[in-house]
Amino acid sequence: MLNQVDIVVGLAWGDEGKGKIVNAICKDYNYVCRWNGGPNAGHTIYLNNKKYKTHIIPCGVFHSKKCIIGPNCVINVDKFYDEIDYLKSEGFDTSLIKVSPKTNIITQRHIIYDKLYLQKKLGTTAQGIAPAYSDKMLRCGKLAKDYIDKKYLWDGELSGKILCEGAQSFWLDINYGNYPYVTSSETLPYSACSLGFSPKKIKNIIGVAKAYDTKSGVDPLFPEVLFDIPEFKLITDYGEEYGSTTGRKRLVNWLRLDHLDYAIKKSGVTNLIINKCDILNQARMYKLIVANITKKFDNLDRFQKYIRKYLLKDKKIKILFSGHKEVL
Ligand code: IMP
Ligand code: MG
């Protein structure tokens, strides 16, 4: 029987540290599941001081959890096996990794199209994501059942306690993000139900944000001039703000608190984690933006108190502030 579903979801433009949170809490769950996206994601986690990266396989694999890649994801078969080999060579149990037979496949043609027509214009990760979802909608896609080894396919019933691992984030959602500067999947909790459970089973929605905003790829909200601002260069360096899939330098801006507030409400967040607060301490700068006005604070404590008051004025959520490599 399925008892409870909790969801970890990003509230900004990705790269808030969702992987770290999943890694920290997944011990209490029976399954860790991905419901959206594909190899465009990059989850970085630290285990016994060693850095690991995954792109399509849920972070639950680091804790011997059953890991599910759902039918609303898209999967690159070669990259999937590469990741399996990498995890195997690092000593993790890859027999726990399962893919829905109905997951759509990313082909070489999708990747070529992405590189030719989308990468430059939209700043995509060039992984073939949009063309693969496009074929899915045209109902001419290829399915995992015909391309993935049987031992990795699974179409069973989820049971026990389920943790859903979001990829990409609120402002990249195909319905709610800043279209067309979005990805081609649904990044909000509503879409986690595509894994095959009733929305009534969802209990906690853990939203992950960051003490400042970053964006990899094109978005008019992040003009390229941001690259030249010395304050943001410092944050890029201290925060190691480079794309984990593409290696691209991320654009940095102060946290838009009103945007975060909106993302929290639309996502139904019950628990909020604001990551990388220590990076502001390292840079000795504490600023955020509300209604296009930049506010400055003397120290991290005042910065955090302001956030708390602003977000709690009309809702009840739990808020936790965290540091970059801090374990919860
Ligand atoms: P696509 O998902 O490769 O089509 O890229 C569309 C947009 O989403 C681009 O701006 C990418 O930089 C962004 N994006 C996609 N996946 C991620 C991610 O995992 N983290 C951050 N940005 C992402
Ligand atoms: Mg990432």
Side-chain angles (χ1 to χ4, degrees), residues 13-15 40-42 114 122-127 129-130 168 172 182-183 215-218 248:
W13 287 265
D15 313 313
N40 48 346
D114 200 348
L122 296 175
T124 68
T125 60
Q127 298 293 320
I129 302 295
Q168 294 82 47
L172 294 172
V182 293
T183 190
K215 171 79 179 86
S216 47
V218 180
R248 293 177 297 182

Side-chain angles (χ1 to χ4, degrees), residues 273-290:
I273 296 164
I274 301 188
N275 248 327
K276 285 192 162 178
C277 292
D278 54 339
I279 306 299
L280 297 187
N281 257 345
Q282 275 180 278
R284 301 201 163 280
M285 289 182 295
Y286 313 94
K287 295 188 192 178
L288 52 78
I289 301 171
V290 175

Side-chain angles (χ1 to χ4, degrees), residues 17 28 68 91 119 130 155 163 198 232 237 255 261 274 312-313:
D28 301 335
I68 308 295
Q119 185 175 20
D155 202 13
L163 184 63
S198 158
F232 296 147
D237 286 345
L255 171 69
D261 190 47
I274 301 188
L312 294 179
K313 68 180 185 295

Side-chain angles (χ1 to χ4, degrees), residues 103-214:
T103 305
N104 270 248
I105 297 292
I106 301 173
T107 65
Q108 209 50 37
R109 188 175 54 79
H110 295 144
I111 295 170
I112 292 167
Y113 186 96
D114 200 348
K115 282 187 178 155
L116 280 178
Y117 301 110
L118 305 176
Q119 185 175 20
K120 233 188 165 162
K121 191 172 72 178
L122 296 175
T124 68
T125 60
Q127 298 293 320
I129 302 295
Y133 276 111
S134 163
D135 276 355
K136 172 178 174 171
M137 292 307 166
L138 284 169
R139 285 165 258 159
C140 62
K142 297 179 162 64
L143 299 184
K145 68 180 171 60
D146 299 318
Y147 292 86
I148 299 264
D149 190 325
K150 230 196 249 143
K151 70 179 181 200
Y152 294 115
L153 294 173
W154 187 77
D155 202 13
E157 281 293 311
L158 294 167
S159 59
K161 240 181 127 183
I162 315 298
L163 184 63
C164 301
E165 174 180 306
Q168 294 82 47
S169 292
F170 189 87
W171 296 108
L172 294 172
D173 180 85
I174 187 77
N175 296 308
Y176 286 91
N178 190 17
Y179 190 93
Y181 307 101
V182 293
T183 190
S184 301
S185 66
E186 304 84 14
T187 65
L188 271 68
Y190 65 83
S191 174
C193 294
S194 63
L195 286 161
F197 52 77
S198 158
K200 285 184 184 167
K201 295 288 182 184
I202 301 172
K203 187 166 179 214
N204 301 303
I205 298 181
I206 301 150
V208 190
K210 201 154 65 173
Y212 48 89
D213 285 341
T214 61

Side-chain angles (χ1 to χ4, degrees), residues 14-15 41-43 244 250:
D15 313 313
H43 290 168
S244 53
R250 296 175 185 141

